[in-house]
Amino acid sequence: MSKDAAELCCLRKAFNVFKSRSDHQPARPLWLRGNFSMARIQLILEREAESNNRNHFQLEKLNFLANYTCLDGPALEKFVQVILEAWERGVNPSGNSTNPSNWDFSSAFFFAGTVVTTIGYGNLSPSTVSGQVFCVFYALCGIPLNLAFLKQLGKCLTIHLGHLEKGMVSVVPHKQTVEALAVSSFFITGSLLFLVIPPLLFSYVEGWTFGEGFYFAFITLSTIGFGDYVVGTDPGKEYISLYRSLAGIWIIFALAWLALILSMGSRIMAHVISLTHPSFKKQQEEDNVSSNKLEDASKI
């Protein structure tokens, strides 16, 4: 049995044990089943590509040593380590010393936005002790303030959605139809403003495909922030001074819109689960009663 097959077998056994203990709470096995399936699919999609990339890199190193006989293996490995350390410290190893600074105002503003939104791409971070200490205190204050700001922005968007529904009532008398049309128009308009037009601009400026631009936009707005695609980091391109600052502003407003969309989606999924699993609806009602009691007790 291969290593991957053994790991999958162990995960499947653990999943069955967990499922047998959680049958009275259907949300738990559903969540675990989703993660289990995601892990298997990603393993199938990415494992071979990772192996090919590793083999390609080793082949390139061998070719490099064959072309430059004055270097030996240990010297090349040491140079590769220097490059990796430079990359980890936010220095792009390609180009020369005339590369634009990572800490101009636009980049610093963009970095501050990734801190308070908890995106954290990982391509840029403070390297000094004083910068790290300040970043910790800034995050402690900035993250709650940003959450409060996003909450207020979400309320404004909800009010706008309510006005949109009221405007449609005079045209379409059916309330459910009006709600569906309002949510659909809100979703389509937001998608154009935050998930279609920005990726087009990013793909044009950065030289990405639209798929790569859309991938960057969604990974950013979902606050996953892998860091494999980040705007304004190509040393071979000249960006306008406010490019990354404008990207930071786009992130803030798009986050509020996407949070509202994801909240609607979670409510729809909860409704679907409650229809297919009546015990989940009962559990949800009990949780709501418990939370209401806690709120009442906190007010006393």
Side-chain angles (χ1 to χ4, degrees):
M1 182 181 292
S2 65
K3 183 180 178 181
D4 292 340
E7 290 177 353
L8 286 174
C9 183
C10 292
L11 284 172
R12 191 176 289 110
K13 288 180 179 179
F15 169 75
N16 291 332
V17 172
F18 185 88
K19 183 179 183 300
S20 64
R21 296 180 180 179
S22 307
D23 285 337
H24 64 288
Q25 293 180 332
R28 287 185 181 179
L30 183 64
W31 170 84
L32 188 61
R33 191 181 295 117
N35 281 323
F36 185 78
S37 301
M38 172 67 174
R40 286 199 296 180
I41 293 171
Q42 285 297 119
L43 188 149
I44 294 170
L45 294 175
E46 298 294 336
R47 177 60 68 88
E48 185 178 356
E50 180 198 30
S51 178
N52 292 336
N53 290 332
R54 185 182 288 112
N55 293 335
H56 176 72
F57 178 65
Q58 295 298 330
L59 183 61
E60 288 294 323
K61 286 201 298 183
L62 291 175
N63 291 335
F64 187 84
L65 289 172
N67 293 329
Y68 298 92
T69 55
C70 58
L71 279 175
D72 57 5
L76 179 60
E77 292 296 332
K78 185 176 181 181
F79 182 64
V80 170
Q81 186 63 35
V82 171
I83 292 176
L84 289 175
E85 289 177 358
W87 182 261
E88 289 173 358
R89 294 174 182 175
V91 178
N92 194 322
S94 61
N96 51 44
S97 60
T98 61
N99 288 344
S101 171
N102 288 323
W103 292 106
D104 56 11
F105 178 78
S106 180
S107 298
F109 182 84
F110 184 77
F111 168 76
T114 62
V115 171
V116 297
T117 56
T118 68
I119 295 173
Y121 291 115
N123 68 309
L124 183 63
S125 59
S127 58
T128 62
V129 175
S130 56
Q132 292 169 352
V133 171
F134 176 76
C135 185
V136 169
F137 283 101
Y138 174 72
L140 286 173
C141 301
I143 291 174
L145 288 174
N146 182 66
L147 291 175
F149 174 74
L150 289 178
K151 185 178 180 180
Q152 291 299 321
L153 198 57
K155 287 182 179 179
C156 292
L157 291 176
T158 304
I159 293 172
H160 176 72
L161 184 61
H163 290 163
L164 187 63
E165 289 180 0
K166 289 179 181 179
M168 289 183 174
V169 168
S170 58
V171 181
V172 182
H174 301 288
K175 185 178 179 181
Q176 291 183 343
T177 306
V178 168
E179 289 179 353
L181 288 173
V183 171
S184 299
S185 61
F186 180 77
F187 175 78
I188 293 171
T189 304
S191 297
L192 287 172
L193 288 176
F194 300 124
L195 287 177
V196 175
I197 296 176
L200 283 173
L201 295 176
F202 294 144
S203 60
Y204 173 75
V205 175
E206 302 289 342
W208 299 337
T209 64
F210 176 77
E212 290 171 331
F214 182 84
Y215 169 79
F216 161 76
F218 185 81
I219 293 300
T220 295
L221 299 183
S222 57
T223 68
I224 297 171
F226 289 125
D228 47 353
Y229 289 88
V230 183
V231 295
T233 57
D234 189 346
K237 296 183 180 295
E238 293 185 4
Y239 302 98
I240 62 173
S241 58
L242 294 178
Y243 176 58
R244 299 189 84 183
S245 297
L246 293 174
I249 295 172
W250 160 74
I251 288 173
I252 295 296
F253 284 92
L255 274 176
W257 170 80
L258 188 62
L260 193 59
I261 293 297
L262 293 177
S263 177
M264 291 179 182
S266 65
R267 288 200 297 268
I268 293 172
M269 289 186 67
H271 180 67
V272 171
I273 294 174
S274 64
L275 291 177
T276 56
H277 298 80
S279 59
F280 176 75
K281 184 176 181 180
K282 183 179 179 181
Q283 177 196 344
Q284 202 172 28
E285 291 174 352
E286 291 175 355
D287 292 341
N288 290 334
V289 171
S290 300
S291 61
N292 290 334
K293 287 181 179 180
L294 288 173
E295 288 179 3
D296 294 337
S298 62
K299 292 178 181 178
I300 298 176

